[in-house]
Amino acid sequence: MNAAAPEPKANMGKPEPRYDARLKVTGEARYPSDVPLKNPAFAFLVTSSIARGELTRIDTGEARAVPGVLDILTHENTAELDSGKFGGGASTSIDKLGPEIFHDGQIIAMVLADTFEAAREAAYKVKATYAPAQPSATFDSPGVKVEDATTVSPQHKELPHKGDAAAALAGAEVTIDAEYGTPTQHHNPMELFTTTCVWEGDKLTVYEPSQFVYGLKNGVAQRLGIDPGKVHTVSHFVGGAFGSKGGMTPRTALVALAAKKLNRPVKLVPTRDQGFTIATYRAETRHRVRLGARRDGKFVAYIHEGSEVSSRPDPYVVAGVKESAHLYAFGAVQTKVDIVRADRNTPGYMRSPPVVPYIYALESAIDELAVKLDMDPVELRRVNDTTVDGVTGKPWSSRSLMACYDEAAAAFGWKQRNPQPKSMREGDWLVGWGCATAVYPTHIGAVTARVRLLSDGQVRVQTATHEIGNGVYTVLAQLASERLGVPLSSVTVEVGDSDMPPAPVAGGSNSTASTCSAVLKACDAIRAKLFGAATAGGPGITEGRGGAGEQLAEAFKRAGVSAIEEYAEFVPPGVKPEAISQLYAGKSTQTGGAEGEYIMYALGAEFIEVRIHALTREIRVPRMVGAFAGGRIMNTRTARSQYLGGMVWGVSSALHEATELDRKRARYINDNLADYLVPVNADIGEVEIVLVSEQDDEVNPAGVKGIGELANVGTAAAVANAVYHATGIRVRELPIRLEKLLV
Ligand code: MOS
């Protein structure tokens, strides 16, 4: 991999090293389960071995006899816990320990003991007796219930629609009608789904890796029936989340209850395989895409019908047509999404939830259309590029799609491509080049922050946002340093703690845009107090950084104080002011994408080379180029790292990753990191990331578009398109494994 941090261009921040880099490489960064505890008890989960039916008996006698066992929680002694609510996407309402079983791996008991080993041994001795029923696993399983998403999901009542797409398709000169599928995937964060709870009197502290400490705080309080003011949630570092730690899962309240009952701190570290069923996952999807175009490539119709799996009780819907329908000037648009209810745990957000499956399908179909039109796939996208949305008529706030294509194509050498499939063979290797678009809605949420400046130039920034690898510590330090004119090393950033002012869920790639907007506001309020209103909107307190100290000392002297602290609230346009009080109450409001006055998306273009062995069909990806435009880039190093990680994950989706399902029992088969395939270093060749300059003054005060979920969006289609170019075989079901090329 190419290791250099890209040089900043216009509208880009410096490639400062990560604020938390030293802490992480030295092991000093304390993850939630690392917190030292006095006299802890250990918890181990027992999960259901059937996917549907009833728990008729749970015998804990033998388990309780294991030395060191303190107690065992089951549905018989946890009735006092209220049920949580399905939060529309990052949580589940299936949180009772029985007797009804909704999915394989549902928690049915939690064993508590003096040691982890005793808890584990006893857990294996808990005997469950079931009255099982035949479960429905997935698409086409007997007994699934199919519903139109618009009737079951309040957030998806309306899906994009424009004109008479069926008629436009019927009249089109060239058409594509194809079906695609994506598999079940699990996040598999390196850090397991741990929870540690400590009570001091009636005050509860929860240490848990979380993408939303205020949501967790309020959610736990609700389940326990206590005042949220008594709950403190802490998550300073998160060892991988990708959506899986965005919502409350059933385990947290159980651990809190256990700690209360035992009057001791309790720590739970579930196993890797339990993580497949006690948290969420990316559900499998199916798509039928129809495109109609004129001979010159201009789209006239786009019809996209998607199906997604969800659990019986919770209507989790991603409906990526809400995003895909705005990507090009399609002409007439018609979309539909079905939800297939099966006996499965509730799915949830997983990196770029709506766009990963839907854009894979759309960008594959566009490549198929380019082949049929005998047109270069980049030119086909250029012909259909637009700055005004075809569905709503709204303008894009900024749109650099073709700039991304042009920069990536140049870096890749796309001009050298022979469009004929199978034409670029080198020895035993069939070489294929493909490309596709990456797109992600620009989100921003109501947010608060507190900034304190001392007369000696020390700055402290506090906001309850979340470091999930996104680099938020680093960019907040950079912003405060720049805005207050102090050296970066003078800034301390504190996040991930519900005692701090609330920030939105670290989901939807909103964190940088949201928190920077609030921190900017607080910094400007400090400047106004210190230097008078005239300087508040200006560039920096000083031109270079050298003079800041003296200027500051004088200004503080004049003001007659030694510290200034400002708390700021930021409510994005189109969001109601009560979003702030709701945020304190654990409800995160976000806006963006196609919802506001402007169409706001980050965009990119990805080019991939695949090499497929003519005989063995081994598939390699020797090089990738991605060019991305995400508004103002706060830090070119952390941004590049986000894009690089995204494209690597895209290769994973394209070629490796799938959770295999036992269709008869509705159970996951490969629920471990040995059998769940992800790329290793040897699977990834050269990766070149091009940061495309983009200025957007409409998205938010910081000019920032979220980028964390952008780069893994186009990769799977780009790989599939390259595989077609190499072999002439169009694989329409991910992942593309070599057996699919043995035809
Ligand atoms: Mo991300 S899947 O929106 O946490």
Side-chain angles (χ1 to χ4, degrees):
M1 277 182 241
N2 144 18
E7 274 309 302
K9 301 179 202 165
N11 207 28
M12 291 186 192
K14 289 201 181 115
E16 302 286 1
R18 275 183 191 265
Y19 177 98
D20 43 341
R22 176 179 292 274
L23 294 173
K24 283 181 173 166
V25 297
T26 57
E28 266 180 83
R30 195 162 271 174
Y31 290 79
S33 65
D34 298 335
V35 65
L37 301 167
K38 245 189 236 156
N39 189 30
F42 294 85
F44 200 95
L45 299 175
V46 182
T47 61
S48 154
S49 59
I50 65 161
R52 184 181 190 180
E54 193 147 326
L55 186 61
T56 51
R57 201 178 140 166
I58 186 150
D59 178 358
T60 59
E62 205 187 324
R64 282 181 190 275
V66 172
V69 168
L70 302 164
D71 199 356
I72 300 177
L73 301 187
T74 67
H75 70 92
E76 287 159 357
N77 56 14
T78 51
E80 65 212 85
L81 289 179
D82 266 354
S83 245
K85 297 181 187 83
F86 170 62
S91 58
T92 177
S93 65
I94 310 169
D95 52 19
K96 294 281 181 214
L97 305 191
E100 191 169 2
I101 301 297
F102 290 94
H103 62 85
D104 174 61
Q106 180 179 329
I107 302 171
I108 56 169
M110 194 171 77
V111 178
L112 302 155
D114 283 327
T115 63
F116 174 80
E117 290 74 14
R120 183 177 54 187
E121 183 186 344
Y124 294 156
K125 292 182 170 167
V126 171
K127 287 198 180 67
T129 312
Y130 305 96
Q134 178 58 46
S136 312
T138 181
F139 299 126
D140 306 330
S141 297
V144 291
K145 186 174 170 198
V146 181
E147 291 173 307
D148 190 310
T150 56
T151 66
V152 291
S153 171
Q155 304 104 297
H156 300 91
K157 259 191 235 141
E158 279 178 41
L159 295 178
H161 176 89
K162 172 83 180 177
D164 186 346
L169 187 78
E173 288 171 333
V174 185
T175 59
I176 288 291
D177 182 350
E179 292 182 9
Y180 305 91
T182 65
T184 317
Q185 294 183 342
H186 278 81
H187 313 75
N188 275 306
M190 289 305 290
E191 181 192 31
L192 297 165
F193 296 98
T194 75
T195 300
T196 300
C197 289
V198 183
W199 290 87
E200 278 168 280
D202 63 350
K203 283 205 71 180
L204 169 67
T205 302
V206 181
Y207 302 91
E208 181 175 301
S210 170
Q211 291 171 258
F212 191 29
V213 288
Y214 268 79
L216 188 62
K217 166 194 167 107
N218 285 278
V220 176
Q222 182 247 317
R223 289 205 64 199
L224 293 172
I226 64 174
D227 171 8
K230 302 285 187 195
V231 182
H232 177 203
T233 47
V234 182
S235 178
H236 294 150
F237 298 99
V238 182
F242 323 114
S244 67
K245 291 163 181 168
M248 190 177 60
T249 70
R251 72 191 195 269
T252 315
L254 280 176
V255 178
L257 180 68
K260 176 119 216 165
K261 285 192 180 205
L262 297 180
N263 195 24
R264 249 170 104 169
V266 172
K267 185 197 283 203
L268 169 71
V269 180
T271 61
R272 173 65 54 190
D273 62 301
Q274 288 172 344
F276 276 68
T277 61
I278 67 164
T280 60
Y281 61 99
R282 193 198 297 280
E284 56 273 33
T285 67
R286 282 181 175 176
H287 307 261
R288 181 181 182 196
V289 180
R290 281 172 284 176
L291 283 171
R294 300 193 317 218
R295 263 272 142 235
D296 62 3
K298 196 94 195 64
F299 295 144
V300 297
Y302 168 43
I303 305 179
H304 196 147
E305 295 156 289
S307 306
E308 308 168 10
V309 163
S310 192
S311 67
R312 294 273 183 202
D314 300 324
Y316 177 71
V317 176
V318 296
V321 289
K322 273 177 103 171
E323 320 298 348
S324 65
H326 307 288
L327 187 49
Y328 303 103
F330 282 115
V333 171
Q334 189 183 310
T335 62
K336 183 181 192 308
V337 174
D338 280 336
I339 292 306
V340 176
R341 310 267 204 154
D343 298 297
R344 297 274 295 282
N345 48 322
T346 304
Y349 302 136
M350 182 161 158
R351 202 171 187 177
S352 340
V355 274
V356 154
Y358 282 80
I359 294 297
Y360 153 70
L362 172 61
E363 289 292 311
S364 297
I366 289 177
D367 197 72
E368 299 206 42
L369 182 65
V371 170
K372 213 163 177 181
L373 288 164
D374 196 17
M375 195 169 171
D376 182 277
V378 177
E379 293 316 304
L380 178 54
R381 288 167 176 96
R382 197 184 313 277
V383 165
N384 293 291
D385 191 30
T386 183
T387 53
V388 177
D389 179 40
V391 178
T392 62
K394 294 181 203 173
W396 280 65
S397 62
S398 60
R399 180 173 166 111
S400 310
L401 180 64
M402 294 323 296
C404 292
Y405 267 102
D406 291 341
E407 291 199 30
F412 188 83
W414 183 254
K415 265 203 237 138
Q416 314 304 318
R417 178 180 184 258
N418 179 339
Q420 195 55 38
K422 297 190 269 189
S423 63
M424 291 173 60
R425 185 168 177 148
E426 279 180 29
D428 280 343
W429 293 89
L430 303 169
V431 179
W433 290 1
C435 63
T437 298
V439 58
Y440 195 79
T442 295
H443 289 134
I444 186 158
V447 55
T448 70
R450 185 160 46 224
V451 179
R452 187 184 66 186
L453 173 66
L454 301 182
S455 56
D456 65 0
Q458 292 298 310
V459 175
R460 188 187 68 189
V461 176
Q462 289 183 317
T463 175
T465 188
H466 312 86
E467 176 58 65
I468 56 172
N470 46 7
V472 80
Y473 277 112
T474 316
V475 301
L476 290 181
Q478 277 181 277
L479 182 69
S481 146
E482 181 188 303
R483 210 63 183 175
L484 295 174
V486 302
L488 193 56
S489 58
S490 302
V491 184
T492 305
V493 180
E494 295 174 3
V495 308
D497 187 317
S498 70
D499 281 353
M500 293 171 193
V505 59
S509 297
N510 86 91
S511 293
T512 300
S514 304
T515 58
C516 284
S517 296
V519 169
L520 197 67
K521 208 171 156 186
C523 290
D524 285 353
I526 290 175
R527 290 159 51 115
K529 271 204 181 150
L530 204 52
F531 295 98
T535 61
I541 285 178
T542 56
E543 296 292 282
R545 290 192 172 146
E550 273 166 47
Q551 267 199 32
L552 269 188
E554 270 172 43
F556 269 104
K557 217 167 174 186
R558 263 201 319 273
V561 293
S562 60
I564 298 182
E565 185 168 286
E566 285 294 326
Y567 161 83
E569 296 178 346
F570 176 77
V571 181
V575 172
K576 295 200 176 89
E578 51 269 32
I580 295 289
S581 55
Q582 288 170 350
L583 187 62
Y584 274 94
K587 188 173 178 290
S588 185
T589 314
Q590 286 185 34
T591 184
E595 286 166 14
E597 214 179 307
Y598 291 93
I599 302 288
M600 307 194 298
Y601 287 82
L603 291 162
E606 302 186 19
F607 287 72
I608 309 269
E609 175 174 316
V610 299
R611 284 177 180 243
I612 294 161
H613 196 274
L615 301 172
T616 67
R617 297 296 175 166
E618 179 184 351
I619 310 166
R620 309 298 304 167
V621 180
R623 66 194 186 99
M624 311 197 262
V625 176
F628 304 97
R632 180 178 178 196
I633 297 300
M634 298 297 297
N635 178 318
T636 50
R637 184 194 304 269
T638 53
R640 174 179 179 277
S641 145
Q642 288 275 41
Y643 289 140
L644 197 150
M647 288 187 81
V648 170
W649 199 337
V651 170
S652 189
S653 283
L655 301 176
H656 303 262
E657 240 180 293
T659 307
E660 308 292 344
L661 200 57
D662 176 339
R663 291 183 62 103
K664 197 169 158 199
R665 294 176 183 80
R667 303 186 79 178
Y668 302 127
I669 297 168
N670 53 340
D671 52 357
N672 58 73
L673 283 180
D675 298 321
Y676 187 90
L677 301 184
V678 294
V680 297
N681 259 329
D683 293 312
I684 303 296
E686 231 1 75
V687 188
E688 186 178 345
I689 302 296
V690 181
L691 303 179
V692 175
S693 283
E694 181 176 69
Q695 170 117 15
D696 191 322
D697 299 322
E698 308 299 340
V699 279
N700 50 62
V704 165
K705 292 181 176 178
I707 61 169
E709 292 169 275
L710 177 59
N712 65 322
V713 177
T715 326
V719 171
N721 299 341
V723 166
Y724 171 79
H725 181 235
T727 61
I729 300 167
R730 182 69 66 177
V731 180
R732 299 189 181 87
E733 182 101 31
L734 296 179
I736 303 168
R737 294 198 180 137
L738 59 81
E739 62 269 24
K740 293 182 184 166
L741 301 178
L742 289 168
V743 289

